[in-house]
Amino acid sequence: MTPRTLKLRAGLFAVAAVLVAALAAYLLFGRGPLPIQTDLLAMLPATEQNPLAEAAVERLAHANGDRMVLLVANDDDARAKDAARALGKALAAHKVFASVTAELPPFDLQQLLAPYLAHRNWLLADADRDALAQPGYAAAGALAQRLNEPFITGVGVPLADDPFGWLQHWLAQQPWSRSPLLPEDDLLVAHRDDTTWVLVTAALDGSSYDDDVQRRALGALHVGEAQIARDYPGTRVLHTGAVFYAAAARAGAERDVHMVGWISSIGIALLLLGVFRSPGPLLLAFLSTALGVLAATTLTLLVFGKIYLLTLVFGAALLGEAVDYSIQYLSARANAGAHWQAGAGLRQVRPALLLALATSLLGYALLGLVPFPALRQMAVFAIGGMSAACLSVFWLLPALLQRPSKPMTLALVRGARALQHMLAKPAHGWRGTLAALLLLLVALPGWLHLRHDDDVHRLIAQPATLTTQEAQIREITGLGNNSQFYLVQGKDGEQTLQREEALETRLQALVDDGKLEGWLGLAGMVPSPARQAHDHALLARLFDDPARLRQTLVDAGFRATAIDAWLAAWPGTPLQLDAWLKTPLSTPFRQLWMGCDAQGCASLVLPQGDGSDALLAHAADGLPGVQLVDKPASVSSLFGRYRNYASVWLLAAVLLIVPVFGWRYGWRRAPRVLAPPVLGIALTLAALGYLGQPLTLFHWMALMLVLGVGANYAVFLHEGEPHTADRPGAMYASVLLSALTALLSFGLLSLSSLPALRDFGLTLLLGIGFTALLVPASRPDSEAALADADGTAG
């Protein structure tokens, strides 16, 4: 290949690189906010067979996702309320908030009666329904009990409108009546242990996962908290909301990217400078890697539109593997000395690089088969980056490296030769059998200690301060946890509400037994037509004798005008779901109604409290159209299934590589070439067992990459050693250099703040380390060649 051809290819590659860079700039900065996805829900796979269940998961996750929930607390009641008002005003002054609610608009609590008063003769509480169903219902006794009830706080129905208390009792069952938060001085207040807690909510004008929204909202809150801490001593603020978790996740990912990127870059730079003794190879190696990362980012944005946190940190670690291709070409140049020819050097390394690229892409392709968005994106990122980095070696580097270079550092070559000799010697003859037995004995206890953990919460760690505050806010306010819910489906609205009532009967039994704090569902607020008709029929037994009812009320001292008005309200009309959903009272609960389509209607029921998974599942057993949806448990179960499949995928990858190696090296040598990564995986599993690391899907996915990367090292040694026969140890030195760069990048993932990437990084750290040490044993002629070289040197 002539120098002119090399330069022409390099020019075409440079033009393509500029076009890709322009496209990447547009995708990153030309479409609004940075497309960095911090939404944990978006990274999780679809787990529910019912598409409506997946839609419900997303609806609940985002119903309050763009809202801050704040609790302002102080031991002094007046000071707590004044601080809450001040915080509300401070937040409302910032445009990042669409609305801030601290003080409630003035209203009469009796307005809550409006949606129900006209339907009072169709609504009965459970206790009243049971009492009216009994023969000989004593209306006079119920009236006497109502007249002697203590003063009612909250929503009280006027005695003239509800003399027997039926509507009052029904309203007492409603969620707003059961809430620990009560209106006081136009604020929502809870009192706990001599402390006053005041609720403040702030709806964001934008997404919680938008970096600019996060920055401005958290900045405004920080200023507001500092202000009330100064003006109202002793005040503290609890907060929760998706924006806090998203900001924490983004900050953790940025720290990881900086740590992995900077430390690995500096480490790799020092290594390359020490080995090649010139800044030129260093700059070209980083140029090749940068082009790979650029192509990977562009491809990822084109395919997915956004980049996940996991991909960002993983991309920083990809530097260590992408630089391998340029290292092999630079090593070939250094080893050739004055005889270097760029075209000939390219032909020398091309088989090794193509074979190494194929094995790496195989591992990443299998990673991309997992139905997990984050892992798929990581696979696409890696495939694009590795391919571009390898292509840059073929098209760009030969034109820039036509002059000979200094040879590798002699001390490094001699050290690599000594280490290769030491590691290769025990792998042959009787020593090899003994070494294999010793490795088996050492590894066996580690394998026996292996266990599994598929909990989805190992994906991304949530700061303890945030989870503690969220739990405390839930306990004080009674706000529920939407990670578990029931999906209720029916052919129409009536059947859906009837099925919901059957479920809620079981849930109420759990509440009565103290096993559940409560539940939230539409059927408790808008009973099914059938239940309303049943309740109306029970009341009709009394209203069929209006004279008797009148006399009962006269005897109790009611005025005639009040009695006439109350009797005239009979029979009233049933409460309709569609009409109720249009009232302001339904606003906090509208997300519970999924609506109707050609397949039927659906609603959601939210259990409140910390009921066990088994308890909640048992409550839905045998109920038609009722399904418990538990997203974390579903994802954990999916992780478990795919973890079980992972060993099969790993075996399949090995079997796919065998014929490739058999074709290239012959069937007798192929097992020896493949042995280092396979043994490296076995020793990694043993080490994880000794470390007490529970295996997750991410460990197994990392082992797939250990297979690909480890096979690369064996390929590099087998392909390159014949070309460095005059410099024994030089090829193993380049393999060690590749391994060290990978350890500097992938190994640093073991320090990541993201548990999933920690598992990933630790596995790669162990696997790459073991494989690099086992590679010398893969060449049967290594020991003899090194011995001859030592003899010649002597």
Side-chain angles (χ1 to χ4, degrees):
M1 192 175 295
T2 65
R4 182 176 180 180
T5 303
L6 293 177
K7 290 180 180 179
L8 179 61
R9 286 159 56 99
L12 292 174
F13 188 87
V15 171
V18 170
L19 293 176
V20 171
L23 179 58
Y26 168 73
L27 294 174
L28 282 170
F29 308 108
R31 302 181 301 165
L34 280 175
I36 300 174
Q37 179 61 272
T38 56
D39 185 355
L40 302 186
L41 187 65
M43 287 189 274
L44 298 178
T47 56
E48 309 302 330
Q49 294 181 353
N50 186 345
L52 193 59
E54 279 295 332
V57 169
E58 187 170 356
R59 169 184 283 213
L60 288 180
H62 294 287
N64 297 316
D66 297 330
R67 184 181 68 164
M68 286 182 177
V69 177
L70 312 170
L71 274 186
V72 180
N74 198 299
D75 294 340
D76 183 273
D77 183 75
R79 190 176 293 173
K81 293 174 180 177
D82 290 341
R85 292 188 182 97
L87 180 60
K89 291 177 182 177
L91 297 182
H94 294 270
K95 294 182 179 180
V96 69
F97 298 107
S99 65
V100 177
T101 303
E103 290 188 274
L104 303 173
F107 73 99
D108 185 354
L109 287 176
Q110 301 306 313
Q111 292 177 7
L112 294 176
L113 292 176
Y116 299 109
L117 200 57
H119 316 290
R120 55 190 154 176
N121 295 320
W122 299 77
L123 306 171
L124 286 177
D126 294 336
D128 287 333
R129 182 181 303 111
D130 293 339
L132 284 162
Q134 300 299 319
Y137 175 74
L143 180 60
Q145 183 178 358
R146 165 73 161 149
L147 293 174
N148 289 286
E149 282 180 348
F151 177 75
I152 298 173
T153 59
V155 183
V157 185
L159 189 61
D161 292 327
D162 186 31
F164 293 92
W166 298 319
L167 182 58
Q168 181 68 59
H169 301 157
W170 188 83
L171 288 173
Q173 293 183 167
Q174 301 311 300
W176 54 85
S177 297
R178 300 194 304 265
S179 173
L181 294 169
L182 295 174
E184 285 184 19
D185 300 326
D186 295 332
L187 299 165
L188 284 176
V189 179
H191 297 281
R192 289 291 182 91
D193 302 324
D194 298 325
T195 299
T196 298
W197 300 85
V198 186
L199 180 69
V200 178
T201 60
L204 300 174
D205 186 17
S207 171
S208 296
Y209 305 101
D210 184 306
D211 179 55
D212 182 60
V213 171
Q214 290 174 17
R215 179 179 52 79
R216 291 190 292 133
L218 296 183
L221 178 61
H222 178 73
V223 172
E225 287 179 329
Q227 176 186 328
I228 64 171
R230 181 184 66 248
D231 297 341
Y232 305 96
T235 300
R236 57 191 184 278
V237 179
L238 300 180
H239 56 248
T240 189
V243 65
F244 299 104
Y245 289 102
R250 182 186 293 270
E254 289 175 350
R255 285 194 301 270
D256 291 347
V257 168
H258 293 153
M259 177 189 70
V260 175
W262 281 108
I263 295 179
S264 63
S265 297
I266 293 171
I268 291 171
L270 293 175
L271 277 174
L272 294 179
L273 280 174
V275 171
F276 297 112
R277 297 181 292 171
S278 172
L282 165 65
L283 296 176
L284 291 177
F286 276 175
L287 174 62
S288 174
T289 304
L291 291 172
V293 173
L294 177 66
T297 303
T298 305
L299 180 62
T300 302
L301 289 173
L302 284 174
V303 174
F304 298 98
K306 290 191 176 183
I307 293 183
Y308 299 133
L309 287 175
L310 289 175
T311 310
L312 273 178
V313 186
F314 177 76
L318 192 66
L319 294 169
E321 189 177 358
V323 79
D324 281 356
Y325 304 118
S326 52
I327 284 177
Q328 296 309 309
Y329 190 69
L330 292 169
S331 297
R333 177 177 178 241
N335 291 327
H339 303 291
W340 169 251
Q341 290 183 344
L346 180 59
R347 289 191 295 274
Q348 174 186 324
V349 301
R350 183 187 288 124
L353 296 189
L354 288 176
L355 198 57
L357 178 65
T359 55
S360 292
L361 294 188
L362 175 64
Y364 288 118
L366 290 172
L367 186 67
L369 293 178
V370 182
F372 182 6
L375 289 180
R376 282 184 170 174
Q377 193 178 97
M378 290 165 63
V380 170
F381 189 98
I383 288 171
M386 303 300 292
S387 301
C390 188
L391 193 62
S392 71
V393 174
F394 293 154
W395 282 62
L396 184 62
L397 263 59
L400 302 176
L401 294 172
Q402 296 193 36
R403 295 181 180 179
S405 72
K406 298 176 182 178
M408 281 189 183
T409 305
L410 185 60
L412 173 65
V413 174
R414 288 179 175 175
R417 180 177 63 186
L419 180 61
Q420 185 177 3
H421 180 68
M422 181 181 68
L423 295 172
K425 189 173 182 179
H428 302 279
W430 65 270
R431 296 190 189 94
T433 304
L434 180 60
L437 289 175
L438 288 175
L439 283 177
L440 177 63
L441 290 175
V442 170
L444 188 59
W447 294 337
L448 295 177
H449 281 88
L450 287 174
R451 56 189 179 88
H452 303 290
D453 185 356
D454 303 310
D455 188 356
V456 67
H457 296 100
R458 291 183 65 88
L459 176 63
I460 291 183
Q462 296 180 338
T465 54
L466 291 180
T467 56
T468 301
Q469 288 187 71
E470 182 181 356
Q472 193 172 358
I473 289 173
R474 255 199 238 119
E475 193 270 332
I476 293 170
T477 64
L479 298 176
N481 180 4
N482 294 342
S483 64
Q484 295 172 310
F485 62 90
Y486 294 97
L487 176 65
V488 184
Q489 295 176 267
K491 64 181 180 181
D492 53 28
E494 179 172 2
Q495 186 181 66
T496 302
L497 289 175
Q498 287 177 350
R499 290 177 169 179
E500 188 176 314
E501 285 166 347
L503 169 66
E504 292 173 357
T505 298
R506 294 188 179 183
L507 296 179
Q508 186 59 43
L510 296 177
V511 173
D512 295 339
D513 292 340
K515 298 178 180 178
L516 198 66
E517 289 183 17
W519 47 267
L520 187 63
L522 286 177
M525 293 176 271
V526 186
S528 67
R531 172 161 290 184
Q532 291 190 58
H534 176 262
D535 291 350
H536 188 71
L538 291 175
L539 290 173
R541 298 177 185 176
L542 300 178
F543 281 91
D544 284 345
D545 190 355
R548 184 175 179 181
L549 272 180
R550 179 183 294 275
Q551 188 58 49
T552 303
L553 294 172
V554 168
D555 293 343
F558 280 77
R559 293 194 300 270
T561 54
I563 297 172
D564 291 341
W566 182 73
L567 290 174
W570 175 265
T573 57
L575 179 61
Q576 301 294 331
L577 178 61
D578 290 343
W580 182 84
L581 287 171
K582 296 176 183 177
T583 65
L585 184 62
S586 69
T587 302
F589 312 107
R590 286 175 189 158
Q591 74 269 18
L592 300 178
W593 181 244
M594 295 292 292
C596 301
D597 56 22
Q599 283 72 45
C601 301
S603 67
L604 309 177
V605 176
L606 310 181
Q608 310 290 300
D610 297 321
S612 68
D613 296 345
L615 186 72
L616 296 177
H618 182 68
D621 285 348
L623 294 180
V626 178
Q627 172 190 352
L628 176 65
V629 180
D630 186 341
K631 183 68 175 181
S634 297
V635 176
S636 298
S637 177
L638 184 70
F639 281 2
R641 289 199 301 272
Y642 280 96
R643 175 185 49 75
N644 290 329
Y645 299 154
S647 58
V648 179
W649 295 340
L650 193 59
L651 178 60
V654 173
L655 295 178
L656 287 173
I657 293 175
V658 167
V660 177
F661 281 5
W663 165 77
R664 179 66 182 171
Y665 303 114
W667 294 104
R668 292 173 62 90
R669 292 175 63 193
R672 185 177 284 271
V673 180
L674 196 55
V678 172
L679 291 175
I681 289 171
L683 293 177
T684 300
L685 288 171
L688 291 173
Y690 279 120
L691 292 172
Q693 278 275 317
L695 292 184
T696 68
L697 175 63
F698 299 95
H699 287 101
W700 285 102
M701 293 300 100
L703 291 175
M704 300 286 290
L705 302 189
V706 169
L707 175 64
V709 174
N712 289 354
Y713 300 155
V715 168
F716 291 154
L717 191 65
H718 277 256
E719 296 289 341
E721 206 162 56
H723 299 284
T724 58
D726 58 330
R727 301 192 74 209
M731 198 61 231
Y732 187 53
S734 71
V735 169
L736 288 177
L737 184 59
S738 293
L740 287 172
T741 59
L743 292 174
L744 272 172
S745 51
F746 283 126
L748 286 172
L749 289 180
S750 61
L751 303 177
S752 171
S753 61
L754 307 177
L757 287 177
R758 281 204 301 270
D759 295 344
F760 213 86
L762 178 61
T763 306
L764 285 166
L765 178 68
L766 294 170
I768 290 173
F770 286 133
T771 303
L773 295 176
L774 291 168
V775 160
S778 67
R779 281 190 57 80
D781 52 340
S782 291
E783 183 184 0
L786 289 169
D788 291 344
D790 289 341
T792 303

